[in-house]
Amino acid sequence: MKLISKYSKFIPYLYYIAVISYWFTDVNRSDGLTAYPILLFSIPFLWQLIKPNKQLNFSLGIVFVCLSSYLILAYLSDLFNIIDFSASTRTFIIYGGLFVFTNFLMALWMIRNSIKKAF
C-alpha cells in the first residue's frame, strides 16, 4: 500500500504527458514537422517528475482547472445543442465527456498534491 501511495502522486503528470504524446502523434501524421512545438507543452510535467516544485505544481493545477472548466462548459453547450444522436455523435459524447472530466479530475488531483505538501 505504501508503494501505491508513493507513486500515485505522479499519475496526473503521466496522464498529461500521455495526452500530449497522443496529440503530437495525431498532428504529426497530418502536419509533419509543424507538430514538434506541441512537445514543448510536456516540459513542465516532465520537470515535475524529475524535480518536483510546489509552486509549479500549484500553478499547473490552477491553470488546468481553469482550462478544464472552460472545456466542461464548451462540452455541455455542445451537448445541449446536438439534436440528432447518431452513432458517431454518441461516440463523440462518450469520449469527449471522459476526456473533459478526466482532465478536470487530474487538475484537481495536482492541486490536492500541492496543498498536501504545503501542510
Side-chain angles (χ1 to χ4, degrees), residues 3-119:
L3 185 66
I4 292 173
S5 64
K6 180 180 176 184
Y7 291 113
S8 68
K9 62 184 176 184
F10 298 122
I11 291 174
Y13 311 116
L14 296 173
Y15 168 77
Y16 283 115
I17 290 170
V19 168
I20 291 168
S21 300
Y22 176 76
W23 182 28
F24 167 75
T25 304
D26 189 43
V27 172
N28 193 26
R29 287 182 191 153
S30 60
D31 293 342
L33 193 60
T34 59
Y36 283 95
I38 292 172
L39 292 176
L40 295 175
F41 289 120
S42 65
I43 291 174
F45 300 108
L46 288 172
W47 186 260
Q48 282 298 103
L49 290 175
I50 296 168
K51 188 175 179 189
N53 184 346
K54 284 188 267 187
Q55 288 83 14
L56 178 62
N57 189 29
F58 189 72
S59 57
L60 280 174
I62 292 295
V63 165
F64 279 92
V65 162
C66 293
L67 289 174
S68 297
S69 299
Y70 173 73
L71 278 173
I72 289 171
L73 290 175
Y75 173 75
L76 290 177
S77 69
D78 189 37
L79 180 66
F80 292 135
N81 288 333
I82 296 174
I83 295 171
D84 181 30
F85 288 113
S86 64
S88 62
T89 305
R90 285 190 195 116
T91 305
F92 166 74
I93 289 171
I94 291 170
Y95 289 139
L98 286 173
F99 175 72
V100 166
F101 290 111
T102 305
N103 278 340
F104 187 71
L105 179 70
M106 293 298 162
L108 288 177
W109 196 343
M110 284 193 310
I111 291 174
R112 183 183 143 252
N113 286 344
S114 64
I115 290 174
K116 200 175 186 182
K117 289 179 186 177
F119 293 110

